Amino acid sequence: MSVLGLDVEAYKLCKDHKPAHFQLENVVRPNILALQPYRCARDDYQEGVLLDANENALGTSIPPALNKHTHLDLHRYPDPSLHGVRPRITELRGMPHSAFTFLGVGSDEVIDLIQRCFARPGQDKVLICPPTYGMYSVSAAVNDLAVVKVPLITEGGQFQVDVPKVQAALAADPSIKMVFLCSPGNPTGTLIPLSDVRKILETPEYRGLVVVDEAYIDFALEEQASGQKHGTEPLSAASLVSEYANLIVSQTLSKAHGLAGVRLGLAFAQPPIIQVMNNTKAPYNISSPAAYLAAQALTEESVSHMRANLRTLIANRDQLVKDLATIPSVGHVLGGNDANFLLVQILDKPGGVPDNDRAAMAYKCMAEKHGLVVRNRSSELGCKGCLRITIGTAEENAMCIQLLRSLLA
């Protein structure tokens, strides 16, 4: 494996390197594979009289009375150890070594970096399965990559991947270099079975990468842990990373951990992929405050608190489903409901059909007249007349129900 900086011993911890026809060197852009990564001043020394990085020796401009985090030495570039965040995340997700874990500035940096590393501008393509997260296409446009769309199976609100059509598209077009799968989906809230992920990973004609975006996976994992649903089989594609050399799993601390403002995204893959990403990313991409707060959120006590919050949000979600069913002009709740939101149909009349105009009316009135904001998703494939409602507190959910009942009366 000709990736600069690769931890060979960590690479040996992979259980397998399936599929046999996949070669990472044929996917990485040649200039990325050959680049000499920037070596940060803190890679060698983190302590002592530091006169090596052109930092401000007099300290931060924040007056001492206002600086609540003097222990972070904000006038210094971040220590590469980042308060131990990487090994903690690695352990939490069951990875065999921290060389399997990448840290980014939110999932969006992860998505963009994957496209920059493994697809050639103006030549290669990405495949997405709408309706899905919009940043896959936005990043593709920024990176000058064409987008191939294979819609989800939307009949009956199931929102599952059409695996045969995805495989056919991959076999027909060798310029497709990555597939983005969102599980649980956004805006669908539906998990993708790992059996479907495996089939796409093992597509014989496909030589590219499969990226499984699991921003909301903790909600499904908590339901499984509490015995509510999903059985006992693994749900997260992170369980496949040590087996498949062509798999990247992205996650985030924004949702379950409630750290959207910190902007810390994660990626899990076999060490060669992670090393390529680390070689390419901007130096010091994770700030000291972000790393410190993430470290606090990953303590045993904080993870326990996070899981308690998940259980509360799941209970609130279940109650919201029941309450929505009592409003005559609200139709089905679509999708798998495995995240912290619901995709809800707004009907043209009680017992009628989904209506985009009425959904837009409810969305606008709630936001502009009553200060309660949801998302209008009625223009997306398979989402006619749909609003996406994030699960709030019990009081916020009750307010949402009251407003919908009044506006749709």
Side-chain angles (χ1 to χ4, degrees):
M1 181 64 65
S2 56
V3 175
L4 293 174
L6 176 65
D7 187 328
V8 177
E9 293 305 312
Y11 186 42
K12 293 178 181 177
L13 297 175
C14 298
K15 295 178 182 177
D16 205 341
H17 305 290
K18 299 191 296 188
H21 62 258
F22 176 78
Q23 297 293 326
L24 182 63
E25 291 92 334
N26 296 333
V27 179
V28 187
R29 290 170 56 190
N31 60 307
I32 297 293
L33 190 62
L35 72 79
Q36 292 287 337
Y38 179 81
R39 186 156 187 83
C40 301
R42 291 294 159 266
D43 287 338
D44 296 320
Y45 303 104
Q46 294 83 43
E47 298 177 346
V49 179
L50 301 174
L51 303 179
D52 58 342
N54 300 338
E55 298 153 329
N56 190 325
L58 300 183
T60 174
S61 62
I62 304 172
L66 299 179
N67 189 353
K68 306 299 183 183
H69 298 288
T70 55
H71 62 289
L72 294 181
D73 289 334
L74 296 179
H75 63 300
R76 300 294 183 189
Y77 287 110
D79 183 332
S81 68
L82 295 175
H83 302 280
V85 170
R86 197 176 178 196
R88 291 188 197 183
I89 286 287
T90 298
E91 181 181 7
L92 183 65
R93 291 312 190 205
M95 295 294 110
H97 191 281
S98 60
F100 288 71
T101 304
F102 175 84
L103 304 181
V105 184
S107 295
D108 294 338
E109 184 191 41
V110 173
I111 292 166
D112 178 73
L113 187 61
I114 291 169
Q115 294 188 5
R116 281 195 286 131
C117 289
F118 305 108
R120 298 167 298 173
Q123 300 180 58
D124 292 333
K125 302 173 184 175
V126 302
L127 185 147
I128 64 172
C129 298
T132 192
Y133 183 43
M135 280 304 296
Y136 311 144
S137 295
V138 171
S139 289
V142 170
N143 289 292
D144 194 17
L145 305 174
V147 176
V148 176
K149 298 180 181 181
V150 178
L152 296 176
I153 300 171
T154 61
E155 287 77 7
Q158 57 182 305
F159 294 116
Q160 287 294 346
V161 177
D162 194 332
V163 176
K165 288 188 178 179
V166 169
Q167 291 182 308
L170 297 177
D173 192 344
S175 65
I176 299 174
K177 289 298 174 66
M178 59 194 66
V179 178
F180 283 94
L181 304 174
C182 195
S183 179
N186 179 8
T188 68
T190 301
L191 272 172
I192 299 173
L194 292 192
S195 57
D196 286 354
V197 177
R198 284 182 180 272
K199 290 174 184 175
I200 296 171
L201 286 165
E202 295 174 359
T203 302
E205 301 86 355
Y206 184 49
R207 300 295 189 268
L209 296 167
V210 176
V211 183
V212 183
D213 183 355
E214 294 186 337
Y216 301 94
I217 192 65
D218 288 290
F219 294 90
L221 292 175
E222 189 58 37
E223 288 180 292
Q224 184 183 57
S226 60
Q228 295 182 49
K229 59 180 180 179
H230 300 310
T232 59
E233 292 297 314
L235 302 180
S236 171
S239 63
L240 305 179
V241 161
S242 188
E243 186 178 350
Y244 286 93
N246 58 339
L247 172 64
I248 304 175
V249 178
S250 67
Q251 295 182 4
T252 180
L253 298 189
S254 293
K255 310 302 180 183
H257 292 269
L259 294 180
V262 169
R263 309 306 301 133
L264 191 65
L266 318 167
F268 306 100
Q270 292 195 1
I273 288 177
I274 297 299
Q275 189 61 50
V276 169
M277 293 173 68
N278 277 324
N279 290 351
T280 311
K281 73 173 182 64
Y284 308 117
N285 66 323
I286 306 298
S287 72
S288 293
Y292 172 75
L293 291 169
Q296 299 306 301
L298 294 169
T299 64
E300 184 176 345
E301 179 182 1
S302 294
V303 170
S304 178
H305 184 63
M306 177 269 287
R307 294 190 60 191
N309 283 345
L310 288 180
R311 291 190 290 272
T312 299
L313 287 170
I314 290 168
N316 289 356
R317 184 189 68 199
D318 294 344
Q319 184 61 49
L320 186 58
V321 172
K322 294 177 182 177
D323 292 342
L324 286 166
T326 67
I327 303 176
S329 290
V330 169
H332 296 295
V333 176
L334 302 182
N337 303 330
D338 290 316
N340 68 333
F341 57 82
L342 298 175
L343 188 64
V344 183
Q345 291 178 328
I346 304 300
L347 308 179
D348 61 345
K349 60 184 178 180
V353 296
D355 187 285
N356 285 4
D357 292 337
R358 207 159 188 230
M361 177 276 296
Y363 160 72
K364 190 171 184 178
C365 285
M366 285 197 294
E368 296 182 2
K369 295 183 179 181
H370 303 281
L372 190 145
V373 184
V374 297
R375 292 295 292 271
N376 185 358
R377 286 290 178 249
S378 57
S379 63
E380 298 198 35
L381 180 69
C383 302
K384 185 176 181 180
C386 283
L387 301 179
R388 193 193 70 191
I389 304 174
T390 302
I391 307 305
T393 65
E395 294 76 18
E396 290 168 340
N397 293 345
M399 180 182 176
C400 183
I401 290 294
Q402 181 182 3
L403 287 175
L404 283 174
R405 194 185 306 279
S406 174
L407 290 170
L408 301 177

